Amino acid sequence: MRIVMPLFDRFTALDVVGPYEVLRFLPDAEIVFAAATPGPVRDGAGRLTLTAEAAFAEIASGDLLLVPGGPGTRGLVHDDALLGWIRRLHGTTTWTTSVCTGSLLLAAAGLLDGLPATTHWNAADLLESFGASYTPERVVFQGKIVTAAGVSSGIDMALSLVELLTDRTTAEAVQLAIEYDPRPPFDAGSPDKAPREARDLLARSLRR
Amino acid sequence: MRIVMPLFDRFTALDVVGPYEVLRFLPDAEIVFAAATPGPVRDGAGRLTLTAEAAFAEIASGDLLLVPGGPGTRGLVHDDALLGWIRRLHGTTTWTTSVCTGSLLLAAAGLLDGLPATTHWNAADLLESFGASYTPERVVFQGKIVTAAGVSSGIDMALSLVELLTDRTTAEAVQLAIEYDPRPPFDAGSPDKAPREARDLLARSLRR
């Protein structure tokens, strides 16, 4: 199956690489990184460069579309060429998926009108402004559209997709292969769990 | 602080990008991807290309060294140029770290003789063959050397490093920023938890 992952300037690297490291185990996975122009694409933190090997124009179909998020999404919600490409791909997919603020692009493309979806907790209002109904779950299934919450949630989403595309034992084998037995040293991974001081610090001073 | 992440042919992408997406939030982080030769470096699954912007020879020091794993490590445990570079960097670091089979390279460089360390569960015997004492923990602190278990464990390690390099509130803010509130759909992330069928399938047929 062909898995298409669009890249764009200022994407978030873990949104892409988390699911990549899971989906690559699918027995017949053919993963394609695509961009407006093939070549190096810089991430949102400005220090990491992934290579896109195909142009959007070369990719007319895909079995699984995974749209990552990142600061770059804010400038792309009015990019008619990209949004049209997402709509066309969606017409060919078995699964259309996003991680983090990638769902803003699905919504801006008109795929989430009135539908439940998730995104990074900090972009909930923005997602709703594009017509989706924000749902504060880690992964939201809505027909063939699957949206995941912020950044690291793409790993959880991808494991569920592997189960749906194969079977539970295969998905468990992939979880074991990447030793995904998470032990966060703190319990601050969502706004309702993080201490106020951490929320304030993030709002005030950390790079987004 | 300068964070140095060596890349090599057939590295595992998530070993690098998990910690990257955490450590990049350090207020003064300068992250450098280095390789024997600057330029594109292909991952172990053969479908993802990250760019190394510096040559090992250009990097004489670093505050934090993070050595990723991947199938490529097996061929590098006798690469004297790389191992010598790791030893030299280690002489300058505050923290020397690895994810997954990256610890094989630390061990082959002589940094783990008789010391507790971890690696991907499947490489425990190999790690011991290089003189380390395999410890089945997710993250092992040993002096200034920190080793993490398979692939996804680098995220947990990196959050602990952020706490040590700044403070707990900052680390919690980073956890919130990447919405790291993991919800694996299965509980198969370690050999003692995975069902026998999943372990057998992984051993038999999935790409490593």
Side-chain angles (χ1 to χ4, degrees):
Chain A
M1 67 180 309
R2 180 191 259 183
I3 299 165
V4 182
M5 298 191 178
L7 301 177
F8 43 81
D9 188 44
R10 303 176 70 215
F11 71 102
T12 295
L14 187 53
D15 293 9
V16 174
V17 175
Y20 168 86
E21 209 66 83
V22 171
L23 298 173
R24 72 177 182 84
F25 283 95
L26 284 168
D28 56 350
E30 176 211 341
I31 299 180
V32 183
F33 294 104
T37 309
V41 185
R42 199 79 164 166
D43 85 319
R47 292 162 179 142
L48 180 149
T49 303
L50 266 186
T51 302
E53 302 203 328
F56 292 143
E58 298 173 72
I59 306 291
S61 67
D63 300 298
L64 194 159
L65 171 65
L66 186 144
V67 180
T73 56
R74 308 302 195 280
L76 293 171
V77 292
H78 303 296
D79 183 322
D80 290 336
L82 175 63
L83 301 181
W85 177 81
I86 287 174
R87 273 191 300 272
R88 286 193 300 279
L89 258 282
H90 176 64
T92 73
T93 62
T94 305
W95 295 105
T96 295
T97 74
S98 65
V99 179
C100 200
T101 50
S103 57
L104 299 179
L105 299 179
L106 298 187
L111 306 186
L112 291 173
D113 287 352
L115 297 177
T118 193
T119 189
H120 191 284
W121 57 268
N122 189 48
D125 291 347
L126 195 52
L127 181 66
E128 295 230 317
S129 77
F130 288 103
S133 175
Y134 173 66
T135 306
E137 301 289 339
R138 192 142 176 93
V139 180
V140 174
F141 281 80
Q142 170 57 45
K144 75 172 193 176
I145 300 181
V146 193
T147 52
V151 192
S152 60
S153 62
I155 300 172
D156 296 330
M157 178 181 76
L159 284 169
S160 290
L161 288 168
V162 170
E163 180 184 26
L164 289 164
L165 288 162
T166 58
D167 54 61
R168 178 164 176 147
T169 297
T170 302
E172 289 172 331
V174 173
Q175 183 180 4
L176 180 59
I178 65 164
E179 208 163 342
Y180 185 46
D181 185 22
R183 304 278 174 87
F186 324 107
D187 190 19
S190 71
D192 55 315
K193 291 177 175 178
R196 166 174 292 276
E197 296 72 23
R199 295 202 310 274
D200 289 350
L201 176 64
L202 184 60
R204 196 168 67 235
S205 65
L206 289 182
R207 183 171 34 238
R208 307 305 285 276
Chain B
M1 68 180 310
R2 179 191 260 182
I3 299 164
V4 182
M5 299 190 178
L7 301 178
F8 44 82
D9 188 45
R10 303 178 70 214
F11 71 102
T12 294
L14 187 53
D15 293 9
V16 173
V17 175
Y20 168 86
E21 209 66 83
V22 170
L23 299 173
R24 71 178 181 83
F25 283 95
L26 284 167
D28 55 351
E30 176 211 342
I31 299 180
V32 183
F33 294 104
T37 308
V41 185
R42 199 78 163 167
D43 85 318
R47 294 160 178 142
L48 180 149
T49 304
L50 266 185
T51 302
E53 302 202 328
F56 293 143
E58 299 172 71
I59 306 290
S61 66
D63 300 299
L64 193 160
L65 171 65
L66 186 144
V67 181
T73 57
R74 307 302 194 281
L76 294 171
V77 292
H78 303 295
D79 182 324
D80 290 336
L82 175 64
L83 301 181
W85 178 81
I86 287 174
R87 272 192 299 270
R88 287 194 299 280
L89 258 282
H90 177 64
T92 73
T93 62
T94 305
W95 295 104
T96 295
T97 74
S98 66
V99 179
C100 200
T101 50
S103 57
L104 299 179
L105 299 179
L106 299 187
L111 307 186
L112 291 173
D113 286 350
L115 298 177
T118 192
T119 189
H120 191 286
W121 57 268
N122 190 48
D125 290 347
L126 196 51
L127 180 66
E128 295 229 319
S129 78
F130 288 103
S133 174
Y134 173 66
T135 307
E137 301 289 338
R138 192 142 176 92
V139 180
V140 174
F141 282 80
Q142 170 57 45
K144 74 172 192 176
I145 299 180
V146 193
T147 51
V151 193
S152 60
S153 62
I155 300 173
D156 296 330
M157 179 181 76
L159 284 169
S160 290
L161 288 167
V162 170
E163 180 184 27
L164 290 164
L165 288 163
T166 58
D167 54 61
R168 177 163 176 148
T169 297
T170 301
E172 289 172 331
V174 173
Q175 183 180 3
L176 180 58
I178 64 164
E179 209 162 340
Y180 184 47
D181 185 21
R183 304 278 175 85
F186 324 107
D187 190 20
S190 71
D192 55 316
K193 292 176 174 178
R196 166 175 291 276
E197 295 73 22
R199 296 201 310 275
D200 289 349
L201 176 62
L202 184 60
R204 194 168 68 235
S205 64
L206 290 181
R207 184 171 33 238
R208 307 305 285 274

